[in-house]
Amino acid sequence: MGPQLLASDEDASTGVTPVFTHEGVPDDDFRSRLRQKFGVTLAGGQKELEGKILRIGHLGHVNPADIILTISAIEFVLKELGHPVEIGSTVGAAEEILAK
């Protein structure tokens, strides 16, 4: 889908994955649509990272269906907002990883 991780694997949190927002995609509108249409809530950045990153939480019980739903919802909303996304491509990649 194109977002870059904020932290490297060595510095990554086990409870949240911060990714940079997609250029040209308004952060508040993107997160609002995810919540309204799919029930997926992502946090935005704070302080100097406000409007620049999204925080995807995964603390506690997260199952493969949660991951697939979140990724699928992100694809749909990005496409709806005019971002060039091939629907299903990221979901397929996630399924391959989860199947291992």
Side-chain angles (χ1 to χ4, degrees):
M1 281 186 283
Q4 299 298 311
L5 296 172
L6 178 65
S8 66
D9 285 346
E10 299 83 38
D11 298 324
S13 166
T14 57
V16 66
T17 297
V19 296
F20 286 101
T21 56
H22 292 79
E23 192 165 328
V25 176
D27 173 56
D28 288 340
D29 187 25
F30 176 73
R31 290 186 299 112
S32 176
R33 289 177 192 227
L34 279 174
R35 189 173 39 259
Q36 290 172 358
K37 293 183 176 215
F38 298 98
V40 172
T41 301
L42 300 183
Q46 299 174 322
K47 297 184 181 180
E48 67 274 357
L49 294 174
E50 185 175 350
K52 297 178 183 176
I53 68 165
L54 300 170
R55 294 177 290 144
I56 304 169
H58 41 78
L59 188 61
H61 178 73
V62 178
N63 64 44
D66 296 325
I67 295 167
I68 298 303
L69 170 68
T70 300
I71 291 171
S72 179
I74 290 169
E75 284 182 341
F76 276 109
V77 173
L78 285 172
K79 186 79 163 183
E80 186 176 87
L81 291 171
H83 192 73
V85 172
E86 183 181 336
I87 296 295
S89 62
T90 308
V91 170
E95 289 174 333
E96 287 291 331
I97 292 168
L98 291 168
K100 291 182 181 183

